[in-house]
Amino acid sequence: MSIIEEAKRGNITDEMKAISKLELISPEEVRRRIADGKIILIRNVKKPSKRLIAVGKGITTKINVNIGTSSEVVSVEMELEKVKIANKLGDTLMDLSTGGDLDEIRRTIIQHSEIPVGTVPIYQVFIESFKKRSGGAYFTEDDLLKTVEKQLRDGVAFMTIHAGITKDLAIRALKSRRMIPIVSRGGDMIAGWMIHNNCENPYRKNWNYILEMFKEYDATISLGDALRPGATADAHDEFQVSELIETSRLVKDAISKGVQVMVEGPGHMPLNEVVWDVKLMKKLTGGVPYYVLGPLPTDVAAPYDHIASAIGAGLAASAGADLLCYLTPAEHLSLPTVKQVEEGAIAYRIAAHVGDIVKLGKKARKWDDKVSTYRGRLEWDKMISQLIDPDNAYRVYTQFGKPKVKACTMCGGYCPMMWAMEQVKKVKE
């Protein structure tokens, strides 16, 4: 049985107990939310990762780290360095490779990853078709299904499945006055296939078979947003919302058949639309986990999109988004370096916690309270050990040498906290 079926039968499994302990929620509440599709366990039961990751209602906000080669830059060694960053700072990672031996790269990444690995199977199908037949749209439905199954066998725990976009929606979006008609790489591949073959979306045509495959591995379907806005001007237009409505129907069908599912969210949108975007998605889908890219509230921030998007991500998390897909400084410009992957992951680790302070209240703020207590006492080693990036924090703390006074080198001998401690002694006398 899948974890949803176990939950619907009233069974509290060892995994549910483990999540209960990690997330400080009662085992029964975890069971009930899994049964309703509001909590998912991102895993592949036949090849489980070292860490059990839960995503959803009442759970700490998780972050995803994208890695992978491109057609221009293929370095497995560099990608494995990025895996190390993901293991340290992330909760899930996605292999988005499009260059090199895709099977070998994926299997190597899974082998070295401690966290669940996701993919976008249409990439491999399209690229292999392009190489064999001089055109990406020449793959067959059978090619697509075999690739999905192969990746599940390899141990992939979640996949972006662009099943919400229809042929009609794709054509209308391409004919529209959208700033960027289709920004999703996988969405564009599916749209091109539908138009070239004059057929409906192959994911939709084979939906029941896809559900059977994912149920066998108890993996998660991540319903992709092929028509997400790639510019703030396109946010919440008829195409984005129409696809979300289609997706919400697929969500309910998957849960009813015991398959774990989450929904992918938009890229670019103005800051004032972020909160109600999350609320709209949750309302339409019945509260399943929301996996958002950013959102990015401006189009002009590159090469600082990791900072700009972390603003949107923190707001989205506070409103109920469950899994944040990071952006790096290289977004919109280049394949990221290892350092840029680290910078993006740290920005999103911060954004996730900022959201949790609102979403989970005191349970999340205990961490902040501990840091603030140490900071108020000027207990530097203890404070720094509790920060998101202690190593870098210590380097900054000592960048002009270790302070000669109890305070840091910013305030030095005029530190208000240092003097306040002396004044407290006098007041108590």
Side-chain angles (χ1 to χ4, degrees):
M1 288 189 293
S2 69
I3 195 72
I4 288 180
E5 290 175 323
E6 291 274 16
K8 285 181 176 178
R9 292 192 179 194
N11 299 331
I12 296 177
T13 66
D14 289 342
E15 294 93 339
M16 296 179 199
K17 292 175 184 175
I19 293 304
S20 168
K21 188 175 180 180
L22 281 171
E23 301 286 350
L24 305 179
I25 306 174
S26 73
E28 172 57 25
E29 193 64 25
V30 172
R31 182 205 65 78
R32 186 176 64 79
R33 291 176 185 175
I34 289 175
D36 293 339
K38 294 178 180 179
I39 287 179
I40 58 175
L41 304 186
I42 300 185
R43 63 180 190 169
N44 182 317
V45 290
K46 297 193 177 182
K47 286 192 177 180
S49 55
K50 291 181 181 179
R51 279 155 53 188
L52 182 63
I53 300 297
V55 173
K57 185 176 180 180
I59 301 289
T60 51
T61 305
K62 304 302 190 296
I63 72 164
N64 175 75
V65 175
N66 285 340
I67 67 170
T69 62
S70 77
S71 60
E72 304 301 308
V73 182
V74 180
S75 171
V76 177
E77 292 76 15
M78 181 172 69
E79 298 312 314
L80 290 180
E81 289 300 310
K82 295 175 185 178
V83 171
K84 292 178 184 178
I85 299 297
N87 287 338
K88 178 183 176 183
L89 294 168
D91 300 295
T92 62
L93 75 82
M94 293 198 79
D95 171 23
L96 304 183
S97 294
T98 56
D101 185 335
L102 301 184
D103 286 333
E104 182 62 28
I105 291 168
R106 178 177 62 256
R107 291 162 186 161
T108 301
I109 286 172
I110 291 172
Q111 179 185 353
H112 287 82
S113 177
E114 298 174 4
I115 55 181
V117 175
T119 58
V120 186
I122 189 64
Y123 289 1
Q124 183 168 11
V125 184
F126 187 93
I127 291 164
E128 289 179 350
S129 172
F130 199 91
K131 289 179 178 178
K132 291 176 184 176
R133 306 180 180 99
S134 299
Y138 293 112
F139 67 85
T140 66
E141 293 178 28
D142 196 44
D143 291 334
L144 179 60
L145 298 174
K146 284 181 177 178
T147 299
V148 169
E149 188 169 18
K150 175 172 62 175
Q151 293 189 5
L152 286 169
R153 282 199 308 269
D154 285 345
V156 173
F158 65 107
M159 292 184 202
T160 298
I161 303 293
H162 298 92
I165 183 173
T166 63
K167 186 177 73 168
D168 175 66
L169 265 177
I171 292 171
R172 288 197 289 116
L174 291 168
K175 288 181 175 181
S176 74
R177 299 183 67 182
R178 255 190 159 196
M179 191 77 66
I180 302 177
I182 301 180
V183 73
S184 163
R185 184 163 56 187
D188 187 61
M189 290 172 177
I190 286 287
W193 187 91
M194 290 189 289
I195 292 168
H196 175 80
N197 294 285
N198 194 27
C199 289
E200 190 47 82
N201 188 326
Y203 282 130
R204 295 173 70 88
K205 290 174 67 179
N206 297 279
W207 180 244
N208 288 330
Y209 182 58
I210 289 169
L211 291 180
E212 289 175 14
M213 286 194 287
F214 275 82
K215 184 177 177 182
E216 180 183 350
Y217 292 85
D218 209 6
T220 296
I221 292 177
S222 185
L223 283 163
D225 48 348
L227 297 176
R228 69 175 179 265
T232 52
D234 297 331
H236 294 113
D237 63 6
E238 62 173 297
F239 307 109
Q240 179 194 346
V241 175
S242 294
E243 183 182 24
L244 179 56
I245 291 170
E246 293 289 335
T247 296
S248 68
R249 295 174 182 143
L250 297 170
V251 161
K252 292 162 188 173
D253 186 49
I255 294 170
S256 72
K257 293 172 181 173
V259 178
Q260 299 194 95
V261 64
M262 62 182 170
V263 174
E264 297 186 11
H268 297 239
M269 65 175 47
L271 199 61
N272 64 306
E273 298 184 19
V274 172
V275 170
W276 60 262
D277 175 87
V278 177
K279 294 184 182 299
L280 174 65
M281 177 274 170
K282 292 284 185 177
K283 181 71 173 176
L284 287 174
T285 64
V288 303
Y290 200 14
Y291 173 27
V292 296
L293 176 63
L296 190 58
T298 178
D299 304 335
V300 303
Y304 304 102
D305 279 330
H306 62 307
I307 297 172
S309 64
I311 297 169
L315 190 56
S318 72
D322 306 284
L323 177 61
L324 307 176
C325 186
Y326 86 154
L327 275 71
T328 74
E331 188 75 16
H332 300 114
L333 297 171
S334 169
L335 191 76
T337 64
V338 174
K339 179 63 176 175
Q340 288 164 343
V341 164
E342 183 179 38
E343 290 172 353
I346 288 173
Y348 270 67
R349 192 82 269 161
I350 295 168
H353 182 63
V354 166
D356 283 345
I357 292 172
V358 177
K359 187 163 60 178
L360 303 178
K362 291 181 180 179
K363 186 165 71 172
R365 209 189 66 217
K366 283 182 180 179
W367 184 9
D368 299 76
D369 292 345
K370 183 182 288 188
V371 169
S372 294
T373 298
Y374 291 142
R375 181 177 292 141
R377 296 173 182 168
L378 300 180
E379 295 180 4
W380 295 103
D381 289 343
K382 289 182 179 178
M383 184 200 83
I384 289 171
S385 71
Q386 296 296 314
L387 298 173
I388 281 177
D389 187 357
D391 293 340
N392 198 37
Y394 189 78
R395 280 194 292 271
V396 173
Y397 173 61
T398 58
Q399 63 188 355
F400 296 109
K402 200 148 188 183
K404 296 174 183 177
V405 294
K406 194 173 183 180
C408 75
T409 56
M410 177 67 183
C411 290
Y414 305 104
C415 173
M417 291 177 289
M418 186 170 68
W419 285 106
M421 283 189 282
E422 294 298 321
Q423 292 156 2
V424 166
K425 291 177 185 177
K426 294 177 182 178
V427 171
K428 288 183 177 179
E429 291 175 355

